[in-house]
Amino acid sequence: MKKQEIIERFISYITIDTESDPNSDTTPSSAKQWDLARKLHQELIEMGMSDVTIDENAYIMATLPSNVDHETPTIGFISHFDSTPDFTGKDVKPQIIENYDGGDIPLKGSDLVLSPEYFADLKQYKGQTIITTDGTTLLAADDKAGITEIMTAMKHMLDNPAIKHGTIKVGFTPDEEIGRGAHKFDVEKFGADWAYTMDGSQIGELEYENFNAAGAVVTFYGKIVHPGYAKGKMINSMYVAQEFIDSLPRMETPEHTEDYQGFFHLHNMKGAVEKSELQYIIRDHDKEHFEARKEVMQNLVNTLNEQYDREAVRIEIKDQYFNMREKVEPVMHIVDVAEQAMKDLGITPLIKPIRGGTDGSQLSYMGLPCPNIFAGGHNFHGPYEYVPVESMIKATEVIVRIAELVAKEE
C-alpha cells in the first residue's frame, strides 16, 4: 500500500466536517454529512466499483465483483462517515509527525500537548508517522480512518487483478455516533453473508462482543412553597434525586470499571425544587446482569415512592442495543478468518470486548453478523485524537487478506 496515498485520502476526508446532530430527526442528522457522502459516492464510481448507490438517507453501497470462477461467500466492509458531536470537527488542521521520536507532541493550535507520559499507547509507535490534531478540533479518525482503509483496499484490488477475491460489498453510513448508523441500513440490498466494521482502535483489535445498552430518564417531582414557610410542606425534588444517585453502587460507574464490568453512568442532570431530571446510560456485557441493572433502578424508584407515599419519581428505560456475541458465536468462523488474516500479516490479534457499541452490534441483530476490526486511531472524540499511518496501512492489508482467505477453495 502506498503510504502517501493513504495520508492524502485520509486528510481529504477529515477536512470535511461531518458532525452528526442528536437533536435532529432527519437522516442524515446534519446536512453537511452529504458533503462527504457525495464525495465517496463519486470516488467509488471513478475507481471502477460496480452497483454504486447512494439513497435518500445518504447510505452508500458498492460492489467489487468476484474474480474467481468458484462460489464464495459474499462479504462486506462497513464504516461510518459522521463524526461525534462530543467535540468540534470543523476546520480540522492535521499535524503529520514523521519518524515520531517517542516524546511529547505539542498540538500547535493550542496549549495542549500529546504526551506518552499520559497516553502510554503512544510509546508503541516510536519511529512511525503519526497524524494528530492541532488541539482545536478532533481528528475524526473515528471513523474516517476506516473509510480510508476500505476505499484504499478496494482500489488496490481493482488495480491488482492478480489478487483473487470473491464478491465484496462496501457500505458507508451516517449518524453512527448518535446511535442511528444502522437504523436505515438495507441489509437485504447489501446482500452480504457477513461483514466487518472497520471501526476499532489500536492495531490488532478484533471485537465480537459489546455492551448491552439502555438509556434511563428519571424524573423527580417536588412541591414548591415559600421557603420562609416551608416547614412540613416543601419537598425539594433535587434532594430526592440526590437520594437516588447515592443509592446506586458508587463504584459501578465508568471511571471505576473496565473489561467486562458494567456500569450506571449519570451523564446529564438538571433540577429545580419543583422538578428534576437525571439521564443515565446502563451498560453490561452479560444479559442477565444488564436486566438486573434495570431492575435495580426500577426498584429504587418504587422504594422512593413508598417512602414519600406518592409518585415522587418516575423512570423511563429504553433498550438501545444488545451484545452481538449472541449473533456472532454461531458463525465464529467469520472471527477466525479475521484473526488468521492478522496473523498472516504479522499482527498480534487483540480479541477483547468493546466497551461501547458499533453499527455492527445492531446489524448483527438485523441478520448481518458483523465483528469489528481495528482502524488504528486512539483517543477518539477529543483534541488528543491521533492515528499512526502504519496502522492504517496494516488495516488496509487486513481487508485484502480477508478477501483472499474467503476466496480460497475448500
Side-chain angles (χ1 to χ4, degrees):
M1 306 298 165
K2 295 178 181 178
K3 182 176 181 180
Q4 193 58 36
E5 177 188 348
I6 284 182
I7 292 173
E8 290 175 1
R9 186 186 296 278
F10 178 65
I11 290 176
S12 77
Y13 297 158
I14 64 174
T15 49
I16 299 173
D17 182 11
T18 56
E19 182 178 325
S20 47
D21 179 3
N23 298 312
S24 168
D25 293 328
T26 63
T27 304
S29 62
S30 55
K32 55 191 172 184
Q33 291 183 62
W34 280 105
D35 296 338
L36 182 51
R38 293 190 179 102
K39 175 180 173 64
L40 294 170
H41 178 248
Q42 187 60 35
E43 286 185 0
L44 286 164
I45 293 171
E46 290 174 356
M47 73 169 61
M49 293 287 281
S50 300
D51 303 324
V52 182
T53 63
I54 184 168
D55 69 14
E56 67 275 13
N57 297 305
Y59 286 78
I60 302 162
M61 295 183 183
T63 302
L64 179 64
S66 173
N67 64 0
V68 297
D69 57 7
H70 56 273
E71 289 294 321
T72 67
T74 297
I75 61 172
F77 295 94
I78 298 168
S79 289
H80 65 90
F81 51 77
D82 68 313
S83 61
T84 179
D86 287 352
F87 200 78
T88 182
K90 183 179 180 182
D91 298 325
V92 173
K93 299 177 181 67
Q95 297 184 157
I96 301 175
I97 314 300
E98 299 276 2
N99 193 23
Y100 170 55
D101 64 8
D104 289 352
I105 301 174
L107 304 180
K108 295 181 178 178
S110 69
D111 295 328
L112 303 180
V113 175
L114 182 62
S115 174
E117 296 306 310
Y118 192 85
F119 299 107
D121 286 336
L122 266 171
K123 296 174 183 177
Q124 65 183 304
Y125 302 117
K126 185 176 180 179
Q128 297 189 19
T129 298
I130 296 177
I131 302 178
T132 76
T133 77
D134 72 344
T136 63
T137 69
L138 49 68
L139 189 63
D142 180 11
D143 188 25
K144 292 170 188 175
I147 292 174
T148 298
E149 292 147 9
I150 293 171
M151 293 289 279
T152 305
M154 295 306 110
K155 187 173 188 307
H156 183 72
M157 286 188 278
L158 283 163
D159 291 346
N160 295 274
I163 298 172
K164 298 304 178 184
H165 58 81
T167 301
I168 299 172
K169 302 288 184 173
V170 168
F172 300 134
T173 71
D175 293 337
E176 190 269 355
E177 295 291 1
I178 56 174
R180 305 182 207 159
H183 284 193
K184 296 182 179 180
F185 190 97
D186 191 334
V187 170
E188 184 176 354
K189 175 185 172 184
F190 194 59
D193 295 300
W194 75 83
Y196 303 92
T197 49
M198 301 298 298
D199 195 16
S201 183
Q202 77 177 76
I203 186 169
E205 283 187 353
L206 174 57
E207 301 154 324
Y208 66 94
E209 302 176 75
N210 61 278
F211 277 137
N212 296 291
V217 178
V218 194
T219 308
F220 303 84
Y221 300 94
K223 290 184 179 179
I224 180 70
V225 296
H226 189 291
Y229 305 92
K231 185 175 182 180
K233 301 172 185 175
M234 179 186 287
I235 298 176
N236 191 324
S237 73
M238 291 181 284
Y239 293 151
V240 185
Q242 184 177 358
E243 288 184 65
F244 185 92
I245 294 169
D246 291 343
S247 296
L248 290 174
R250 179 65 190 92
M251 300 303 288
E252 294 184 20
T253 57
E255 61 268 35
H256 294 110
T257 53
E258 61 184 352
D259 299 328
Y260 284 96
Q261 296 169 334
F263 57 74
F264 303 94
H265 176 43
L266 175 61
H267 67 91
N268 194 281
M269 62 191 300
K270 57 185 177 182
V273 172
E274 186 75 11
K275 182 181 177 181
S276 297
E277 181 181 282
L278 306 178
Q279 294 183 16
Y280 279 87
I281 62 173
I282 307 162
R283 300 289 188 265
D284 211 297
H285 285 92
D286 184 275
K287 190 65 177 293
E288 290 186 7
H289 292 172
F290 174 63
E291 295 299 331
R293 289 186 183 280
K294 293 189 287 183
E295 189 174 345
V296 163
M297 297 187 87
Q298 183 63 63
N299 290 342
L300 181 52
V301 167
N302 296 342
T303 298
L304 287 169
N305 285 335
E306 290 174 10
Q307 177 182 323
Y308 285 92
D309 197 26
R310 66 185 185 89
E311 191 179 42
V313 192
R314 292 179 185 171
I315 188 169
E316 181 181 20
I317 301 175
K318 290 185 177 180
D319 290 334
Q320 295 168 323
Y321 53 82
F322 300 102
N323 191 344
M324 66 174 143
R325 176 176 179 170
E326 179 180 329
K327 300 299 181 180
V328 174
E329 278 192 327
V331 287
M332 274 297 289
H333 66 280
I334 71 178
V335 176
D336 297 339
V337 167
E339 183 178 6
Q340 186 60 53
M342 290 185 194
K343 289 178 178 177
D344 290 349
L345 295 166
I347 300 167
T348 301
L350 305 174
I351 301 177
K352 61 186 186 62
I354 307 170
R355 287 184 61 79
T358 70
D359 278 347
S361 62
Q362 295 184 45
L363 290 169
S364 293
Y365 280 85
M366 293 165 65
L368 181 66
C370 202
N372 191 42
I373 293 174
F374 73 92
H378 289 259
N379 303 343
F380 296 147
H381 294 204
Y384 295 101
E385 188 179 4
Y386 70 91
V387 61
V389 176
E390 286 79 359
S391 294
M392 287 197 286
I393 292 171
K394 283 296 186 183
T396 305
E397 292 174 351
V398 167
I399 293 170
V400 175
R401 185 58 184 154
I402 287 173
E404 290 179 309
L405 290 173
V406 172
K408 282 187 174 181
E409 293 186 86
E410 295 297 331

